[in-house]
Amino acid sequence: MNRLNHESPIVNDVFGISWLDFNLSNVLMMFVASLLVFIIGVAATRNMQRYPKGYQNFIEWLIDFIKGIIGSNMDWRTGKLFLPLGLTLFAYVFVSNMLGVITNGVVGHTLWWKSPTADPGITLTLATMVVVLTHYYGVKLKGGKEYSKGFVRPLPFLLPFKLIEEFSNTLTLGLRLYGNIYAGEILLGLLVGMATTNFLGFLGASIPMLAWMGFSTFIGFIQAFIFVMLTMVYMSHKVSDDH
Amino acid sequence: MQVFTNSLVLGAEGGFLVGDMLTQLFFFIVLLVLLRMFAWGPLMNMMKEREDYVANEINTAEKSREEAQRMQREASEELKKTRQDAQSIIEDARKTAGQQERDILESARNEAERIKESAREEIGQERDKAIQALKDQVATMSVMIASKVIEKELSEQDQEKLINEYIDEAGEER
């Protein structure tokens, strides 16, 4: 059962490996999102001047924004290490979210154009990557001993909860993003379906659709912000001394 | 995998596709590396450079402000000193002038005194000389008159005695 009776272009058992399945639409959209982020990033940092103007102002505002997120979680000395990660995560998640808000592309009965973040596998991959990175930097910056001690602090009997927390963090981080974006796309799809039935349906659906697109844009921004914010919160739990 | 995920609501999209996950991971890491290399790196360098520039400018401004203050202080000290110098020069000049005035007055007074003195002396000498001359003349005239009057009655000695008496009287009367 696929959403709204649209098929996903799934290729099973690539190279004859039984567990290697691809959803080609996801692959396409991940590529598009990455490409867009890369183009935006590179275009914004061409012709940099000491007096920023135009595009450079925008990208510097973005940097300050991410700096603010990091700075609210840890001190800047360790925090500056994560600035590129935060920037790329934010840009990638936001652009991904927006791709599905702008339009959903269906060819035949196959859904090709959507948000890559409207797929739980992808968001959970990002979330897992983030959590693994927090452990990596925890060990790297504080040493294995301090890192291990973090699991039994402040009291040793918290160890099982700490362990569960790592997994629940991963799950909530990924599924929150997925749920928000997927729900937004479902509702947009429903509204599009309603708008294309007949003239009255178009009249009835166009206003809510405009409103919902605006709201989805807002949601897309907020979710990207929350994703980066939580990344930095988890990171600071592992690398900051005061936790 | 499919069996498990299909039993959840997540299965609605076709479940977890390991290929998608690997692709996502690959794309994201590549994106991270590329952006760091081509976008964030240069941008952060630029921002760092600007920070340094601004800090440097502030330092320079601070330094030149201090320099200016120092120079101003020096200049005002210089001005004060110059003013004092001028004051002392004027004071000196005034003192010298007063001294000179006194000297000139003194010497003028001395000169006048001296001239007066010498004039007085001269007058005295002249007077003595005049008196002497007068005495001689009077004596001569008296002798002539007396010789005329009493030519016959007096001898040479009596005449002489008489004349001297008169002359002495005349000298005492004066």
Side-chain angles (χ1 to χ4, degrees), chain B residues 126-142 167 170-171 174:
Chain B
E126 288 296 323
R127 196 193 57 188
D128 283 358
K129 243 192 251 171
I131 287 173
Q132 197 57 47
L134 201 60
K135 241 184 206 170
D136 287 353
Q137 253 180 344
V138 168
T140 318
M141 273 165 61
S142 308
I167 288 170
R174 113 181 127 101

PDB file of all heavy atoms in Angstrom, chain B residues 126-142 167 170-171 174:
ATOM      1  N   GLU B 126      87.783 132.626  39.659  1.00  0.00           N
ATOM      2  CA  GLU B 126      87.603 133.864  38.894  1.00  0.00           C
ATOM      3  C   GLU B 126      87.438 135.049  39.850  1.00  0.00           C
ATOM      4  O   GLU B 126      88.005 136.124  39.656  1.00  0.00           O
ATOM      5  CB  GLU B 126      86.371 133.745  37.968  1.00  0.00           C
ATOM      6  CG  GLU B 126      86.566 132.828  36.786  1.00  0.00           C
ATOM      7  CD  GLU B 126      87.635 133.318  35.812  1.00  0.00           C
ATOM      8  OE1 GLU B 126      87.735 134.547  35.596  1.00  0.00           O
ATOM      9  OE2 GLU B 126      88.391 132.456  35.264  1.00  0.00           O
ATOM     10  N   ARG B 127      86.613 134.766  40.888  1.00  0.00           N
ATOM     11  CA  ARG B 127      86.340 135.841  41.851  1.00  0.00           C
ATOM     12  C   ARG B 127      87.635 136.266  42.550  1.00  0.00           C
ATOM     13  O   ARG B 127      87.965 137.454  42.654  1.00  0.00           O
ATOM     14  CB  ARG B 127      85.326 135.357  42.887  1.00  0.00           C
ATOM     15  CG  ARG B 127      84.700 136.481  43.681  1.00  0.00           C
ATOM     16  CD  ARG B 127      83.979 135.946  44.866  1.00  0.00           C
ATOM     17  NE  ARG B 127      84.876 135.160  45.703  1.00  0.00           N
ATOM     18  CZ  ARG B 127      84.454 134.457  46.716  1.00  0.00           C
ATOM     19  NH1 ARG B 127      83.157 134.378  46.983  1.00  0.00           N
ATOM     20  NH2 ARG B 127      85.311 133.812  47.461  1.00  0.00           N
ATOM     21  N   ASP B 128      88.411 135.238  42.973  1.00  0.00           N
ATOM     22  CA  ASP B 128      89.676 135.536  43.631  1.00  0.00           C
ATOM     23  C   ASP B 128      90.572 136.352  42.722  1.00  0.00           C
ATOM     24  O   ASP B 128      91.174 137.362  43.131  1.00  0.00           O
ATOM     25  CB  ASP B 128      90.381 134.234  44.012  1.00  0.00           C
ATOM     26  CG  ASP B 128      89.771 133.604  45.237  1.00  0.00           C
ATOM     27  OD1 ASP B 128      88.809 134.235  45.796  1.00  0.00           O
ATOM     28  OD2 ASP B 128      90.181 132.500  45.648  1.00  0.00           O
ATOM     29  N   LYS B 129      90.566 135.863  41.476  1.00  0.00           N
ATOM     30  CA  LYS B 129      91.398 136.562  40.499  1.00  0.00           C
ATOM     31  C   LYS B 129      90.939 138.000  40.343  1.00  0.00           C
ATOM     32  O   LYS B 129      91.718 138.945  40.359  1.00  0.00           O
ATOM     33  CB  LYS B 129      91.291 135.859  39.130  1.00  0.00           C
ATOM     34  CG  LYS B 129      92.644 135.279  38.661  1.00  0.00           C
ATOM     35  CD  LYS B 129      92.515 134.889  37.197  1.00  0.00           C
ATOM     36  CE  LYS B 129      92.520 133.399  37.065  1.00  0.00           C
ATOM     37  NZ  LYS B 129      92.188 132.951  35.701  1.00  0.00           N
ATOM     38  N   ALA B 130      89.622 138.180  40.255  1.00  0.00           N
ATOM     39  CA  ALA B 130      89.069 139.519  40.061  1.00  0.00           C
ATOM     40  C   ALA B 130      89.396 140.392  41.249  1.00  0.00           C
ATOM     41  O   ALA B 130      89.810 141.567  41.108  1.00  0.00           O
ATOM     42  CB  ALA B 130      87.551 139.402  39.862  1.00  0.00           C
ATOM     43  N   ILE B 131      89.224 139.761  42.447  1.00  0.00           N
ATOM     44  CA  ILE B 131      89.514 140.554  43.653  1.00  0.00           C
ATOM     45  C   ILE B 131      90.990 140.972  43.654  1.00  0.00           C
ATOM     46  O   ILE B 131      91.323 142.139  43.926  1.00  0.00           O
ATOM     47  CB  ILE B 131      89.199 139.728  44.900  1.00  0.00           C
ATOM     48  CG1 ILE B 131      87.695 139.613  45.071  1.00  0.00           C
ATOM     49  CG2 ILE B 131      89.818 140.378  46.158  1.00  0.00           C
ATOM     50  CD1 ILE B 131      87.264 138.682  46.168  1.00  0.00           C
ATOM     51  N   GLN B 132      91.820 140.050  43.312  1.00  0.00           N
ATOM     52  CA  GLN B 132      93.264 140.323  43.287  1.00  0.00           C
ATOM     53  C   GLN B 132      93.562 141.470  42.336  1.00  0.00           C
ATOM     54  O   GLN B 132      94.236 142.447  42.686  1.00  0.00           O
ATOM     55  CB  GLN B 132      94.034 139.055  42.844  1.00  0.00           C
ATOM     56  CG  GLN B 132      95.517 139.080  43.163  1.00  0.00           C
ATOM     57  CD  GLN B 132      95.795 139.284  44.646  1.00  0.00           C
ATOM     58  OE1 GLN B 132      95.188 138.637  45.518  1.00  0.00           O
ATOM     59  NE2 GLN B 132      96.648 140.272  44.995  1.00  0.00           N
ATOM     60  N   ALA B 133      92.940 141.355  41.145  1.00  0.00           N
ATOM     61  CA  ALA B 133      93.180 142.365  40.123  1.00  0.00           C
ATOM     62  C   ALA B 133      92.691 143.726  40.589  1.00  0.00           C
ATOM     63  O   ALA B 133      93.362 144.756  40.442  1.00  0.00           O
ATOM     64  CB  ALA B 133      92.462 141.959  38.831  1.00  0.00           C
ATOM     65  N   LEU B 134      91.466 143.639  41.194  1.00  0.00           N
ATOM     66  CA  LEU B 134      90.868 144.881  41.685  1.00  0.00           C
ATOM     67  C   LEU B 134      91.777 145.509  42.744  1.00  0.00           C
ATOM     68  O   LEU B 134      92.028 146.704  42.735  1.00  0.00           O
ATOM     69  CB  LEU B 134      89.507 144.547  42.297  1.00  0.00           C
ATOM     70  CG  LEU B 134      88.524 145.696  42.404  1.00  0.00           C
ATOM     71  CD1 LEU B 134      88.237 146.272  40.992  1.00  0.00           C
ATOM     72  CD2 LEU B 134      87.235 145.255  43.072  1.00  0.00           C
ATOM     73  N   LYS B 135      92.239 144.622  43.652  1.00  0.00           N
ATOM     74  CA  LYS B 135      93.113 145.075  44.731  1.00  0.00           C
ATOM     75  C   LYS B 135      94.320 145.808  44.152  1.00  0.00           C
ATOM     76  O   LYS B 135      94.647 146.950  44.529  1.00  0.00           O
ATOM     77  CB  LYS B 135      93.618 143.867  45.532  1.00  0.00           C
ATOM     78  CG  LYS B 135      93.211 143.873  46.980  1.00  0.00           C
ATOM     79  CD  LYS B 135      93.897 142.633  47.631  1.00  0.00           C
ATOM     80  CE  LYS B 135      93.120 142.190  48.818  1.00  0.00           C
ATOM     81  NZ  LYS B 135      93.607 140.890  49.309  1.00  0.00           N
ATOM     82  N   ASP B 136      94.920 145.144  43.156  1.00  0.00           N
ATOM     83  CA  ASP B 136      96.119 145.725  42.553  1.00  0.00           C
ATOM     84  C   ASP B 136      95.807 147.086  41.936  1.00  0.00           C
ATOM     85  O   ASP B 136      96.510 148.073  42.154  1.00  0.00           O
ATOM     86  CB  ASP B 136      96.666 144.781  41.452  1.00  0.00           C
ATOM     87  CG  ASP B 136      97.324 143.548  42.056  1.00  0.00           C
ATOM     88  OD1 ASP B 136      97.472 143.514  43.308  1.00  0.00           O
ATOM     89  OD2 ASP B 136      97.681 142.625  41.294  1.00  0.00           O
ATOM     90  N   GLN B 137      94.686 147.094  41.211  1.00  0.00           N
ATOM     91  CA  GLN B 137      94.318 148.331  40.532  1.00  0.00           C
ATOM     92  C   GLN B 137      94.030 149.447  41.535  1.00  0.00           C
ATOM     93  O   GLN B 137      94.492 150.564  41.403  1.00  0.00           O
ATOM     94  CB  GLN B 137      93.061 148.088  39.662  1.00  0.00           C
ATOM     95  CG  GLN B 137      93.437 148.052  38.206  1.00  0.00           C
ATOM     96  CD  GLN B 137      92.217 147.814  37.341  1.00  0.00           C
ATOM     97  OE1 GLN B 137      91.183 147.401  37.813  1.00  0.00           O
ATOM     98  NE2 GLN B 137      92.383 148.147  36.058  1.00  0.00           N
ATOM     99  N   VAL B 138      93.192 149.045  42.529  1.00  0.00           N
ATOM    100  CA  VAL B 138      92.849 150.041  43.548  1.00  0.00           C
ATOM    101  C   VAL B 138      94.141 150.575  44.193  1.00  0.00           C
ATOM    102  O   VAL B 138      94.316 151.771  44.385  1.00  0.00           O
ATOM    103  CB  VAL B 138      91.920 149.406  44.608  1.00  0.00           C
ATOM    104  CG1 VAL B 138      91.775 150.322  45.831  1.00  0.00           C
ATOM    105  CG2 VAL B 138      90.550 149.126  44.000  1.00  0.00           C
ATOM    106  N   ALA B 139      95.044 149.606  44.479  1.00  0.00           N
ATOM    107  CA  ALA B 139      96.306 150.017  45.102  1.00  0.00           C
ATOM    108  C   ALA B 139      97.057 151.003  44.213  1.00  0.00           C
ATOM    109  O   ALA B 139      97.445 152.089  44.661  1.00  0.00           O
ATOM    110  CB  ALA B 139      97.177 148.776  45.347  1.00  0.00           C
ATOM    111  N   THR B 140      97.145 150.628  42.964  1.00  0.00           N
ATOM    112  CA  THR B 140      97.869 151.479  42.037  1.00  0.00           C
ATOM    113  C   THR B 140      97.212 152.847  41.945  1.00  0.00           C
ATOM    114  O   THR B 140      97.859 153.887  42.033  1.00  0.00           O
ATOM    115  CB  THR B 140      97.904 150.834  40.644  1.00  0.00           C
ATOM    116  OG1 THR B 140      98.149 149.449  40.780  1.00  0.00           O
ATOM    117  CG2 THR B 140      98.968 151.486  39.759  1.00  0.00           C
ATOM    118  N   MET B 141      95.828 152.800  41.775  1.00  0.00           N
ATOM    119  CA  MET B 141      95.107 154.062  41.630  1.00  0.00           C
ATOM    120  C   MET B 141      95.242 154.902  42.893  1.00  0.00           C
ATOM    121  O   MET B 141      95.462 156.123  42.840  1.00  0.00           O
ATOM    122  CB  MET B 141      93.608 153.767  41.351  1.00  0.00           C
ATOM    123  CG  MET B 141      93.349 153.568  39.857  1.00  0.00           C
ATOM    124  SD  MET B 141      91.749 152.822  39.567  1.00  0.00           S
ATOM    125  CE  MET B 141      90.704 154.055  40.267  1.00  0.00           C
ATOM    126  N   SER B 142      95.134 154.250  44.042  1.00  0.00           N
ATOM    127  CA  SER B 142      95.241 154.986  45.304  1.00  0.00           C
ATOM    128  C   SER B 142      96.616 155.645  45.418  1.00  0.00           C
ATOM    129  O   SER B 142      96.724 156.805  45.797  1.00  0.00           O
ATOM    130  CB  SER B 142      95.070 154.011  46.472  1.00  0.00           C
ATOM    131  OG  SER B 142      93.929 153.275  46.333  1.00  0.00           O
ATOM    132  N   ILE B 167      94.948 150.101  52.297  1.00  0.00           N
ATOM    133  CA  ILE B 167      94.699 148.833  51.598  1.00  0.00           C
ATOM    134  C   ILE B 167      94.211 147.771  52.555  1.00  0.00           C
ATOM    135  O   ILE B 167      93.263 147.058  52.290  1.00  0.00           O
ATOM    136  CB  ILE B 167      95.978 148.365  50.877  1.00  0.00           C
ATOM    137  CG1 ILE B 167      96.246 149.262  49.680  1.00  0.00           C
ATOM    138  CG2 ILE B 167      95.868 146.904  50.407  1.00  0.00           C
ATOM    139  CD1 ILE B 167      97.598 149.046  49.032  1.00  0.00           C
ATOM    140  N   ALA B 170      90.758 148.480  53.426  1.00  0.00           N
ATOM    141  CA  ALA B 170      89.863 148.075  52.325  1.00  0.00           C
ATOM    142  C   ALA B 170      89.685 146.571  52.334  1.00  0.00           C
ATOM    143  O   ALA B 170      88.578 146.063  52.163  1.00  0.00           O
ATOM    144  CB  ALA B 170      90.472 148.526  50.983  1.00  0.00           C
ATOM    145  N   GLY B 171      90.781 145.862  52.585  1.00  0.00           N
ATOM    146  CA  GLY B 171      90.651 144.366  52.612  1.00  0.00           C
ATOM    147  C   GLY B 171      89.769 143.905  53.749  1.00  0.00           C
ATOM    148  O   GLY B 171      88.986 143.018  53.587  1.00  0.00           O
ATOM    149  N   ARG B 174      85.796 144.428  53.207  1.00  0.00           N
ATOM    150  CA  ARG B 174      85.082 143.676  52.159  1.00  0.00           C
ATOM    151  C   ARG B 174      84.267 142.532  52.711  1.00  0.00           C
ATOM    152  O   ARG B 174      84.625 141.956  53.712  1.00  0.00           O
ATOM    153  CB  ARG B 174      86.107 143.249  51.133  1.00  0.00           C
ATOM    154  CG  ARG B 174      86.394 141.779  51.008  1.00  0.00           C
ATOM    155  CD  ARG B 174      87.445 141.577  49.962  1.00  0.00           C
ATOM    156  NE  ARG B 174      88.428 140.787  50.634  1.00  0.00           N
ATOM    157  CZ  ARG B 174      88.522 139.468  50.439  1.00  0.00           C
ATOM    158  NH1 ARG B 174      87.742 138.866  49.585  1.00  0.00           N
ATOM    159  NH2 ARG B 174      89.443 138.796  51.081  1.00  0.00           N
TER     160      ARG B 174
END
